[in-house]
C-alpha cells in the first residue's frame, strides 16, 4: 500500500507522544481524518455522539450521527486499530438544535441548525470531552483550514476546494476553540479523500455525503417541526404588499423568505415572492422581486475570530451565496451590516459571515432587514 500523505496536525514535538481525538460521524471525511491521525503515530481516539435516532433515519444513508452511522464509525475504528467511544447526546441535541429549529420556523425566521450544532454539541461538549481525555487537539472532517496569523493567533480560512468549503457554518467558533481544533482535510479535494478511504480499506469509502440538515428526513422540514411543535400548522392569509388578500396558507413553517414556488396563488400578472413572514398575525406577505432587495441588516451576537480587522471585507448571507462587498457600522455584539449593492433573499435567522480573502473574520445572526425601497416594505 502506498504511503499515506502526512497532513500537518500542527502539534510540536514527537507525534508518538501526542494524543489526538477525532470527531467521527460515520462518514468518509471524519473516517479519513482518523486514519491520517493514526498514521502520524499519535495515540488516536475516535468519539461519536449519538444525536438522534428517528425511526427510518436509523438505516438511511446520508444521515449523520444516527444508528447506521455509529456502526460505520465503530467499524472504521476497528479497521484502524484505534479506540472508539459513543456518547448519548440525544436529549441535549433535541433541546439545543431540533427544538430551536422548530421554534425559529414558527417565528417566521430561517434557521441554520448546523451552526447551532457546531456552537453547542460539537465544539463545546465534544471539545470538552477531548480535553478531559487529555488530548492535544480535536480533529474534525470539516473542509476548512486553520492557519497561524502574523500575530501568532489562530485564523480560520476557507477550504482550498471552494466547492467543499464549510467555513460559513463555523463562523461562531471562538479563539479558544480554534487553538484546540484541527482540520486536516482543508487542503484536499473530495475525490482524493475518497481515494484515501479506499487505500485505507474503509467500509464507507463510497458512502454518500450527508445532507445539510441531518435530522430532516427527505428534506421535509415541516414534518419535523410538526412533531416537535404540534401547533405549527396554524394557518393564516397570504397578503400582497399592497394589502390585497390573495389566499390562505396552512402554516408559516411551509415558507421561507425569497420563496417563489408552492405559494398556490396562481393567476397573478407577475411572479411573486415571499417578502415577509409575520408570526404575530400569521401572514405570509408576498411581492415582486424588487421588494426582496435589501440595503442593510441588523446583526446580533457578533463573533470575531483571530482578533480585530480593519480593511475591505465581503459577506455571505447564505452558505451558497456569492460573497458580496459590505461594511459594518457600530460596535459591540449588535451592529448594522450595509451592503455595497442590493442583496436579495436576506432573511432573519440566517447568518452573516464576513471574509477578507480566504480568511473568515467572523459573523453574526441577522435579526432584521432594511429594504432598498421603503415603499415596498411589507
Amino acid at each position: 500500500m502506498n504511503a499515506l500523505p502526512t497532513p500537518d496536525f500542527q502539534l510540536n514535538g514527537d507525534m508518538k507522544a501526542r494524543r489526538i481525538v477525532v470527531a467521527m460521524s460515520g462518514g468518509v471525511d471524519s473516517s479519513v481524518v482518523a486514519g491520517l491521525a493514526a498514521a502520524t503515530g499519535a495515540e488516536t481516539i475516535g468519539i461519536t455522539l449519538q444525536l438522534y435516532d428517528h425511526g427510518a433515519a436509523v438505516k438511511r444513508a446520508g444521515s449523520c450521527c444516527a444508528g447506521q452511522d455509529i456502526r460505520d464509525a465503530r467499524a472504521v475504528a476497528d479497521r484502524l486499530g484505534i479506540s472508539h467511544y459513543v456518547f448519548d447526546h440525544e436529549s441535549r441535541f433535541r433541546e439545543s438544535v431540533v427544538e430551536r429549529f422548530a421554534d425559529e420556523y414558527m417565528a417566521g425566521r430561517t434557521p441554520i441548525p448546523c451552526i447551532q450544532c457546531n456552537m453547542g454539541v460539537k465544539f463545546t461538549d465534544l471539545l470538552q470531552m477531548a480535553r478531559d481525555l487529555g488530548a492535544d487537539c480535536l480533529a474534525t472532517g470539516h473542509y476548512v483550514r486553520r492557519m497561524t496569523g502574523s500575530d501568532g493567533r489562530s485564523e480560520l480560512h476557507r477550504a482550498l476546494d471552494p466547492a467543499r468549503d464549510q467555513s460559513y457554518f463555523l463562523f461562531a467558533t471562538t479563539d479558544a476553540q480554534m487553538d484546540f481544533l484541527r482540520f486536516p482535510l482543508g487542503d484536499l479535494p473530495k475525490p482524493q479523500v475518497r481515494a484515501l478511504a479506499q487505500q485505507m480499506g474503509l467500509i464507507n469509502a463510497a458512502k454518500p455525503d450527508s445532507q445539510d440538515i441531518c435530522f430532516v428526513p427527505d428534506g421535509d422540514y415541516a414534518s419535523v417541526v410538526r412533531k416537535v411543535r404540534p401547533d405549527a400548522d396554524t394557518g393564516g392569509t397570504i397578503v400582497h404588499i399592497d394589502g390585497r388578500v390573495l389566499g390562505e396558507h396552512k402554516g408559516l413553517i411551509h415558507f421561507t423568505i425569497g420563496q417563489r414556488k408552492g405559494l398556490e396563488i396562481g393567476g397573478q400578472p407577475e411572479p411573486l415572492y415571499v417578502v415577509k413572514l409575520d408570526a404575530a398575525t400569521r401572514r405570509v406577505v408576498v411581492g415582486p422581486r424588487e421588494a426582496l432587495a435589501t440595503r442593510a441588516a441588523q446583526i446580533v451576537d457578533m463573533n470575531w475570530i483571530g482578533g480585530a480587522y480593519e480593511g475591505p471585507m465581503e459577506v455571505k448571507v447564505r452558505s451558497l451565496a456569492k460573497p458580496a462587498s459590505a461594511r459594518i457600522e457600530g460596535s459591540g455584539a449588535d451592529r448594522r451590516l450595509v451592503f455595497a449593492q442590493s442583496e436579495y433573499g436576506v432573511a432573519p435567522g440566517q447568518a452573516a459571515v464576513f471574509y477578507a480573502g480566504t480568511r473568515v473574520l467572523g459573523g453574526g445572526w441577522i435579526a432584521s432587514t432594511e429594504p432598498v425601497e421603503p415603499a415596498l416594505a411589507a
Side-chain angles (χ1 to χ4, degrees), residues 137-349:
C137 69
L138 171 66
T140 81
H142 289 99
Y143 284 85
V144 293
R145 291 179 291 171
R146 175 186 179 274
M147 298 183 179
T148 302
S150 57
D151 59 357
R153 302 180 67 164
S154 299
E155 296 179 353
L156 180 65
H157 286 252
R158 301 175 194 256
L160 197 62
D161 181 355
R164 302 300 308 179
D165 177 57
Q166 294 173 302
S167 59
Y168 178 84
F169 299 101
L170 301 184
F171 84 86
T173 308
T174 66
D175 287 339
Q177 291 169 344
M178 281 298 302
D179 287 342
F180 195 66
L181 289 164
R182 300 294 187 272
F183 310 105
L185 302 188
D187 290 315
L188 302 178
K190 185 63 178 247
Q192 184 177 354
V193 172
R194 289 201 180 278
L196 288 171
Q198 291 179 333
Q199 187 177 340
M200 296 175 190
L202 306 184
I203 64 167
N204 55 4
K207 187 174 183 177
D209 291 336
S210 60
Q211 61 187 40
D212 286 344
I213 301 179
C214 63
F215 58 88
V216 180
D218 304 320
D220 187 355
Y221 304 153
S223 68
V224 172
V225 177
R226 280 195 297 268
K227 289 178 183 178
V228 178
R229 299 287 185 258
D231 58 339
D233 268 336
T234 303
T237 56
I238 300 177
V239 183
H240 194 279
I241 58 173
D242 63 13
R244 289 179 292 133
V245 176
L246 302 180
E248 302 288 328
H249 67 80
K250 298 180 180 179
L252 295 182
I253 62 174
H254 301 281
F255 302 91
T256 57
I257 301 297
Q259 179 178 333
R260 176 182 173 186
K261 297 181 179 179
L263 302 184
E264 298 182 355
I265 49 172
Q268 303 301 316
E270 62 180 344
L272 296 177
Y273 300 78
V274 175
V275 175
K276 181 180 179 181
L277 299 172
D278 191 331
T281 63
R282 299 195 300 276
R283 296 191 312 164
V284 174
V285 182
V286 299
R289 185 174 184 273
E290 55 264 30
L292 287 170
T294 301
R295 64 175 180 176
Q298 294 299 319
I299 308 298
V300 299
D301 298 330
M302 292 284 293
N303 177 67
W304 289 103
I305 305 172
Y309 171 81
E310 296 292 337
M313 64 177 65
E314 295 181 310
V315 64
K316 291 178 65 172
V317 293
R318 296 176 304 281
S319 62
L320 298 179
K322 182 179 179 181
S325 179
R327 70 178 189 274
I328 297 176
E329 296 180 348
S331 60
D334 300 348
R335 309 189 194 189
R336 184 169 181 259
L337 163 65
V338 181
F339 300 102
Q341 297 183 339
S342 300
E343 189 73 13
Y344 290 81
V346 184

Side-chain angles (χ1 to χ4, degrees), residues 24 40 57 80 88 105 109 116 121 174 182-183 209 354:
M24 297 182 68
T40 66
L80 297 174
D88 183 356
Y105 256 111
R109 294 188 286 269
Q116 295 297 335
V121 177
T174 66
R182 300 294 187 272
F183 310 105
D209 291 336
F354 301 97

